[in-house]
Amino acid sequence: MESIWTEGIEIRKREPLSGDMEVPAVVIGAGIAGILTAYYLKQAGIRTVVLEADRIGSGQTKNTTAKITSQHNQVYSWLIRTFGHRMAEHYASANEAAIGEYERLIQDKGIDCAFGRCPAYLYSRTETESLRREAEAAKSLGITASFGTECELPFPVAGVMGFARQARFHPLKFLAEMAEEVEVYEQTKVLKVEGRRVETARGTVTAEHIVFAAHYPFINVPGYYFARMHQERSYVLALEGAGSYEGMYLGVDQGGLSFRTCADVLLLGGGGHRTGVNKTGAGCRYGMLRGRAQEIYPGCREVSRWSAQDCVTLDGLPYIGRFSRRRPNWYVATGFGKWGMTTAMVAARIVTNLISGRDCPEADIFSPSRHITMQAMKGLFVHGAYTVKGLTKHLLPPGKGRIVLNCPHMGCRLEWNPEEESYDCPCHGSRFDREGRLIDGPAQTDCKRQEERD
Ligand code: FES
């Protein structure tokens, strides 16, 4: 099922690339990060083209819950402890500025996309102290934050931590308008990138600057992003007859839910798990959400459901900046976690500043080559263990009557996801339909289905 954002939206079709061209900059991926990056580069006087394998906004942008917020779970106390107050301030101000920049663009251009300022909250049914500390940390960085023990949700909470003047909007209505301002080639899949050349089946683009903004970078070396990120899936129900809230909410407890009102519909989210690791059985994730929905809002009606795929980095902060020291003219914007809308704007501003040679003090905290923290080391170990397991399974013969699919990215054994009837890769999160056709990268091709055994 498609998300509610796709209903009634027609983004103007663009022609595929035809032949070769040379431009100052090329962006790979026409989701919100790619389109905003191309827009700001154009504003900086740098002609930029966007190459999109499918259609504008056909990737993860359409699956968001479209919260625009600097409240990224309990990140600020950790940031201050790990990177120091100044770096934490850069992270906070870049994200707060992103909210303001959305508002400015939408007002200046008169974009009708239901943009509205509202508070964002983290809630817990058991915890108070960590939320109280997080509110203090955020305040020390200039964010208008508060802590309390009551909120508008229809169940008791132990603690709730709020940020004022966050925002929500309709992501595809916004994207459709912004895409009108940039040069996009659709149905133009990038096959190879080498030096300044971006090869597609429909021609080559040669560019001084190349930006990878297609969710997960598909180049393995340099950069080694496959070893530094995993992907997670989460699920959303759109409900009628449920509550309507002024604020947006995210539960920080194990199994916590997300609540976000959109006109007369409530988006209830949760049930997240590492992509490729979902053995709960068909209908369990949506089933859990449906159960919770009926418990909290008896008689509510489901009007839509969908799932999202998020890239998560080793330390939880996005990778935005130069792709690798070996490729100084390549840039990357990935690892946005669950904060894709806000981080897309942050990425577009940082990458534009780097390419146009402007001062950008906030770039360091987002840099893909920032120092490795203890948390990142732990993530590296866990991620490595999944990869070794996935590769080892590849070597095992299939069991009786089993279908085996090996991932064309690096060969891990795919796992059947009964919830969504797809084959998912536990190593780096590629996904394929039941016929082995590619749904999500980093794999670039469909996979071959081995013979079924008797
Ligand atoms: Fe990397 Fe499957 S996504 S091996």
Side-chain angles (χ1 to χ4, degrees):
M1 207 177 230
E2 295 281 8
S3 76
I4 53 167
W5 314 122
T6 59
E7 283 166 22
I9 286 286
E10 262 308 314
I11 300 181
R12 184 171 65 81
K13 259 190 168 166
R14 314 300 163 87
E15 292 301 315
L17 182 70
S18 127
D20 300 339
M21 65 161 64
E22 183 155 0
V23 285
V26 58
V27 174
I28 302 167
I32 198 153
I35 293 293
L36 284 173
T37 303
Y39 170 78
Y40 286 109
L41 285 170
K42 184 179 165 193
Q43 295 298 303
I46 299 166
R47 183 183 167 203
T48 304
V49 299
V50 183
L51 304 177
E52 167 56 46
D54 192 355
R55 298 283 322 277
I56 294 166
S58 60
Q60 298 311 316
T61 302
K62 69 179 189 320
N63 297 330
T64 173
T65 50
K67 298 172 177 171
I68 307 173
T69 178
S70 60
Q71 188 184 66
H72 298 175
N73 219 323
Q74 299 178 76
V75 74
Y76 292 107
S77 9
W78 173 77
L79 270 174
I80 293 170
R81 268 197 325 273
T82 311
F83 291 96
H85 202 269
R86 192 166 179 73
M87 286 293 218
E89 230 166 34
H90 287 319
Y91 188 91
S93 64
N95 280 288
E96 284 281 298
I99 306 169
E101 188 58 15
Y102 270 114
E103 185 169 42
R104 186 190 71 76
L105 279 179
I106 289 163
Q107 281 175 358
D108 286 0
K109 296 177 184 303
I111 300 175
D112 177 13
C113 62
F115 178 90
R117 290 277 194 167
C118 61
Y121 297 100
L122 296 178
Y123 74 88
S124 170
R125 302 186 78 164
T126 56
E127 177 62 35
T128 54
E129 272 323 295
S130 70
L131 290 173
R132 195 192 302 273
R133 276 199 305 276
E134 181 66 6
E136 290 308 315
K139 273 197 256 182
S140 78
L141 301 169
I143 294 173
T144 309
S146 60
F147 172 80
T149 53
E150 286 183 2
C151 69
E152 58 190 328
L153 291 175
F155 48 79
V157 297
V160 61
M161 195 274 288
F163 284 9
R165 291 187 53 72
Q166 309 296 291
R168 53 195 167 201
F169 72 153
H170 189 306
L172 291 190
K173 284 186 178 174
F174 173 78
L175 188 68
E177 291 297 321
M178 293 306 297
E180 286 300 321
E181 311 225 8
V182 297
E183 188 176 344
V184 185
Y185 295 95
E186 292 183 324
Q187 306 294 343
T188 302
K189 184 172 173 140
V190 173
L191 304 175
K192 200 159 138 192
V193 184
E194 262 180 3
R196 296 175 59 228
R197 282 166 56 84
V198 179
E199 286 181 27
T200 79
R202 298 170 178 277
T204 298
V205 178
T206 305
E208 195 55 47
H209 305 286
I210 299 169
V211 183
F212 292 78
H215 189 61
Y216 198 121
F218 57 89
I219 302 267
N220 290 336
V221 181
Y224 301 94
Y225 290 95
F226 68 88
R228 303 200 275 152
M229 285 200 302
H230 72 277
Q231 299 198 68
E232 291 189 358
R233 300 199 62 69
S234 56
Y235 303 84
V236 182
L237 298 183
L239 303 168
E240 273 179 3
S244 168
Y245 303 119
E246 187 210 350
M248 308 180 289
Y249 290 83
L250 179 66
V252 296
D253 306 327
Q254 183 80 14
L257 300 172
S258 151
F259 300 80
R260 188 272 208 218
T261 296
C262 173
D264 54 353
V265 165
L266 178 75
L267 306 186
L268 179 69
H273 61 88
R274 183 181 176 111
T275 303
V277 184
N278 183 23
K279 295 200 169 140
T280 52
C284 281
R285 306 282 172 174
Y286 286 122
M288 178 278 292
L289 284 177
R290 285 179 188 124
R292 294 303 310 277
Q294 288 306 325
E295 200 181 287
I296 303 170
Y297 312 106
C300 67
R301 193 174 74 84
E302 179 181 322
V303 291
S304 186
R305 69 179 157 83
W306 68 91
S307 56
Q309 169 108 327
D310 299 310
C311 291
V312 181
T313 66
L314 295 175
D315 60 10
L317 304 181
Y319 295 137
I320 301 168
R322 291 193 201 281
F323 195 95
S324 124
R325 290 197 177 95
R326 283 168 55 194
R327 292 280 184 279
N329 65 323
W330 291 9
Y331 305 83
V332 68
T334 190
F336 294 178
K338 304 204 178 308
W339 325 110
M341 298 298 101
T342 331
T343 314
M345 179 64 86
V346 171
R349 307 291 300 279
I350 288 177
V351 170
T352 301
N353 286 340
L354 292 175
I355 290 178
S356 53
R358 291 186 203 138
D359 207 26
C360 189
E362 64 273 30
D364 288 353
I365 188 65
F366 297 96
S367 168
S369 52
R370 63 180 169 265
H371 81 255
I372 297 207
T373 62
M374 276 307 291
Q375 179 173 340
M377 287 300 289
K378 270 190 223 153
L380 198 59
F381 181 75
V382 171
H383 190 44
Y386 273 107
T387 305
V388 169
K389 192 171 159 203
L391 288 169
T392 309
K393 270 190 166 181
H394 175 182
L395 302 174
L396 298 173
K400 191 172 180 217
R402 283 183 59 187
I403 300 168
V404 177
L405 290 165
N406 289 321
C407 181
H409 178 231
M410 293 177 75
C412 289
R413 174 77 59 87
L414 300 177
E415 301 285 345
W416 176 244
N417 177 354
E419 190 81 43
E420 304 183 90
E421 304 199 337
S422 60
Y423 287 99
D424 299 352
C425 182
C427 290
H428 315 112
S430 293
R431 298 181 63 237
F432 306 84
D433 70 13
R434 58 167 61 241
E435 302 305 323
R437 287 182 293 253
L438 180 67
I439 303 171
D440 289 314
Q444 285 292 283
T445 58
D446 298 343
C447 56
K448 290 195 183 73
R449 181 176 167 139
Q450 284 186 16
E451 290 294 307
E452 233 176 296
R453 291 187 162 192
D454 294 327

